[in-house]
Amino acid sequence: MGDREFADVAIIGGGPAGLAAAAEAKGAGAERVIMIERDERVGGILNQQVHDGFGTKVFKEALTGPEYSAIYEDRVNERGVETWLKSTVTELTNDRVITVRSERGIETIEAGAVVLAMGCRERTRGAIGTPGTRPAGVYTAGAVQYYMNVSNLAVGRKVVILGSGDIGLIMARRMTLEGAEVVCVAEILPQPSGIAGNIVRCLEDFDIPLYLSTTVVEIHGNERVTGVTLAEVGPKMGEKKGTRRYFDCDTLLLSVGLIPETELANALGLAMSPVTNGAIVDESFHTSAPGIFSCGNVLQVHDVVDYATLEAEKTGIAAAKYAMIGELPETNINVTAGAGLRYVLPATISGGDAIDFTMRPWKEEHDKSVVFKSGGEVLRRMKMPHMEPAGMIRIRVGKGRFKHVVNNEILVEVEE
Amino acid sequence: MNSTIICTVCPVSCPVDVEWTKEDGVLGIRNHLCKLAGPYVESELFDPRRLLTTSIPVDGGDWPLVSVKTDPPIPKNLMLEAMDEITGVRVKAPIKVGDVLMTDILGTGCNVVATRNVKSA
């Protein structure tokens, strides 16, 4: 048993959100910042995302995942964040005592503030109930990305991809470049789940067909996948008769969504959002438990790492302030998602600061506006030439606008 | 001519409406959220290029692979040929982000540059 350690701020997770939160917590004056990472390296998903497109908001240029990660890794090292690698948090209590398991054994950290930055894991075959046998050759897209880009392992020669999430699209290109044949991508929804840019650069550039409203109805093969049967689905996701098609393949990749790693948050009994599956937070990314914060993909799934970074930086500063002075701005104004929006974050604000609201629409829309209202008056209207569920929207509202808030309520809606 | 080109510089993927002619180039663009769309649309119409990213095996490193990119982006139609050139190359640790690992690939003037630090094991 190790001794009990004390930290001003403890960050759980060393991916893009954890790195940014740790660097800013230290930068804001927290004396001892410990970042706990279960892998042998920091960087999280960025280590395997060797493609470009990261950093266009923060650095105004498109970097690759490892380049983006290296910038923040250097920053946490320069600022003197303590990084605990190969260390897994097994328990977190409401009074911010963290149990960590590593090669050193079991250690406990008592922290002034805790930032939850554990990210997401991939939804697997079991979670979507794919019918058929259970042969080898069925992988999640992110697992294959790790094998190819980090471990130097190839997984198959002829591939069908189920789900048009971004990682699936990126892997369609990656496997094509490495010499595999990507037969097609099937998406159960009538529209792609990944961003439009990836449809162009990962599928159209290589003439890979995308079949919408289509899913896998059977996986064939006993020891190894030998093929899959696809079929079209109707509006209620039922199989359309007479649309079955068989495709030869030795590998099926699943890119069917992400699940926030919220086990620690659930054990704490935090107030959670049934829409994002992340914690409900205020403008400081403070959860319902005092001194416990949440940011990055464990809070809401991001499609742009830059936005996860910006959110985490704000969280790191707030966590440092909480650890040092023990209080945060009171947030009495409730923010609610109205027509057209699945959710808006944060849930409560103080009105004393500009806020970068993040949200997602229910469906694709053109030439609409996102409107912030209070007591029937418009606080801010943002014209949106194009919105889609795959693209998170981020809108800044200046603090001056909050002077006109009535009854401590803000409603955010999509309007003509 | 009027075309809609999806800007792929960043994940926002603006569907940029562009008015252009072969002789005079791009006359005007709309429906974009930032300045990066202009140069992208111009390149996509007259000289489409892609940043090719892949990885190269490393001997004696703390990672088995170093991730790489072409710098600058290579012509779109040469991506698979460039992969053939890169496949089979091995490099030695240590490697730093920005190290040039291959020069003037396929006579394009593009280099292959490391995007990850790989320390000696």
Side-chain angles (χ1 to χ4, degrees):
Chain A
M1 284 291 257
D3 293 332
R4 178 165 283 210
E5 303 274 344
F6 294 89
D8 297 283
V9 180
I11 316 272
I12 306 176
L19 284 166
E24 292 314 302
K26 191 76 185 154
E31 199 134 318
R32 190 178 186 200
V33 178
I34 302 178
M35 181 172 66
I36 307 153
E37 167 58 45
R38 68 183 168 194
D39 202 348
E40 53 192 294
R41 306 171 175 104
V42 298
I45 190 79
L46 292 171
N47 287 323
Q48 66 189 67
Q49 302 207 307
V50 301
H51 58 278
D52 69 303
F54 306 92
T56 49
K57 305 289 161 225
V58 174
F59 301 111
K60 309 291 174 218
E61 62 172 321
L63 303 170
T64 65
E67 289 172 308
Y68 189 90
S69 173
I71 291 170
Y72 290 93
E73 192 179 346
D74 287 348
R75 198 172 290 174
V76 299
N77 291 337
E78 278 160 19
R79 291 187 183 177
V81 171
E82 256 176 75
T83 304
W84 292 17
L85 296 174
K86 293 194 268 183
S87 303
T88 303
V89 173
T90 54
E91 200 189 350
L92 167 65
T93 66
N94 273 297
D95 47 4
R96 301 184 299 278
V97 177
I98 303 168
T99 308
V100 186
R101 291 181 56 153
S102 71
E103 287 167 345
R104 295 191 298 272
I106 296 174
E107 289 161 295
T108 50
I109 302 172
E110 209 172 290
V114 175
V115 176
L116 305 176
M118 294 87 78
C120 278
R121 62 168 166 267
E122 287 181 283
R123 208 179 284 274
T124 60
R125 180 178 180 184
I128 57 164
T130 326
T133 50
R134 292 288 182 269
V138 181
Y139 302 93
T140 58
V144 173
Q145 191 175 46
Y146 186 87
Y147 295 148
M148 290 188 89
N149 294 345
V150 176
S151 313
N152 201 17
L153 298 169
V155 297
R157 308 300 306 165
K158 202 166 181 184
V159 188
V160 168
I161 299 178
L162 174 62
S164 60
D166 287 311
I167 303 180
L169 300 176
I170 298 279
M171 287 314 295
R173 172 177 63 185
R174 188 78 191 99
M175 294 190 85
T176 305
L177 289 172
E178 291 289 357
E181 181 193 344
V182 178
V183 180
C184 64
V185 175
E187 168 60 56
I188 195 166
L189 298 174
Q191 76 276 339
S193 302
I195 59 168
N198 281 338
I199 301 292
V200 174
R201 293 210 301 180
C202 301
L203 300 186
E204 290 172 10
D205 274 5
F206 301 97
D207 299 318
I208 298 168
L210 168 64
Y211 302 127
L212 296 172
S213 300
T214 299
T215 192
V216 171
V217 291
E218 198 171 347
I219 298 172
H220 306 272
N222 288 314
E223 289 184 359
R224 177 82 197 192
V225 173
T226 55
V228 296
T229 300
L230 304 184
E232 288 174 31
V233 298
K236 287 181 181 161
M237 300 291 158
E239 181 186 336
K240 270 194 193 166
K241 288 222 168 89
T243 61
R244 286 195 168 212
R245 274 199 287 174
Y246 174 83
F247 293 87
D248 259 334
C249 63
D250 61 17
T251 303
L252 174 66
L253 290 200
L254 303 176
S255 176
V256 291
L258 299 169
I259 305 171
E261 299 233 30
T262 52
E263 286 74 10
L264 290 173
N266 293 339
L268 285 176
L270 295 185
M272 304 291 281
S273 156
V275 181
T276 60
N277 293 315
I280 293 174
V281 293
D282 71 8
E283 68 180 23
S284 304
F285 299 94
H286 192 225
T287 69
S288 61
I292 296 179
F293 298 78
S294 179
C295 61
N297 272 1
V298 76
L299 176 65
Q300 55 175 338
V301 177
H302 294 69
D303 26 70
V304 182
V305 72
D306 302 56
Y307 291 163
T309 296
L310 294 169
E311 179 180 296
E313 287 181 340
K314 226 180 150 191
T315 310
I317 293 167
K321 275 190 188 154
Y322 184 91
M324 291 185 292
I325 58 175
E327 60 180 59
L328 294 164
E330 246 186 271
T331 59
N332 295 320
I333 303 171
N334 294 310
V335 183
T336 314
L341 295 175
R342 285 186 60 209
Y343 72 92
V344 179
L345 200 148
T348 57
I349 64 168
S350 66
D353 249 320
I355 302 290
D356 293 308
F357 290 95
T358 50
M359 63 204 78
R360 281 182 196 271
W362 281 110
K363 57 181 177 52
E364 187 171 341
E365 307 260 23
H366 294 275
D367 298 317
K368 297 274 171 77
S369 294
V370 170
V371 185
F372 294 75
K373 289 192 248 182
S374 186
E377 297 292 311
V378 173
L379 305 176
R380 169 125 163 73
R381 177 186 292 272
M382 175 86 175
K383 282 208 168 131
M384 301 296 299
H386 175 76
M387 290 192 269
E388 56 182 345
M392 180 194 283
I393 300 165
R394 192 168 186 274
I395 299 174
R396 170 161 290 198
V397 180
K399 72 173 177 183
R401 316 270 178 138
F402 300 130
K403 282 182 197 139
H404 311 290
V405 170
V406 183
N407 292 333
N408 283 337
E409 292 290 340
I410 295 176
L411 180 67
V412 191
E413 286 186 315
V414 175
E415 275 187 2
E416 289 302 317
Chain B
M1 248 181 293
N2 290 304
S3 312
T4 301
I5 293 177
I6 292 170
C7 177
T8 67
V9 176
C10 91
V12 175
S13 305
C14 297
V16 184
D17 291 326
V18 49
E19 195 188 340
W20 62 287
T21 65
K22 268 200 176 118
E23 299 73 37
D24 301 322
V26 174
L27 303 172
I29 63 171
R30 61 177 287 272
N31 240 354
H32 55 293
L33 294 179
C34 87
K35 285 179 188 161
L36 298 175
Y40 176 80
V41 163
E42 177 109 31
S43 156
E44 197 62 8
L45 286 169
F46 300 105
D47 176 25
R49 284 175 176 260
R50 295 289 183 266
L51 193 84
L52 178 65
T53 59
T54 180
S55 46
I56 293 179
V58 183
D59 294 319
D62 66 343
W63 294 75
L65 292 169
V66 59
S67 53
V68 299
K69 66 178 180 186
T70 53
D71 179 36
I74 63 164
K76 177 176 146 182
N77 59 3
L78 293 178
M79 276 193 285
L80 290 171
E81 264 180 80
M83 281 300 293
D84 287 340
E85 290 283 299
I86 296 169
T87 303
V89 171
R90 298 187 73 89
V91 292
K92 280 198 175 64
I95 297 160
K96 279 203 142 26
V97 171
D99 283 359
V100 175
L101 304 178
M102 296 170 72
T103 54
D104 191 21
I105 189 164
L106 299 170
T108 55
C110 302
N111 296 333
V112 174
V113 172
T115 57
R116 192 199 296 294
N117 295 313
V118 182
K119 292 183 210 132
S120 298

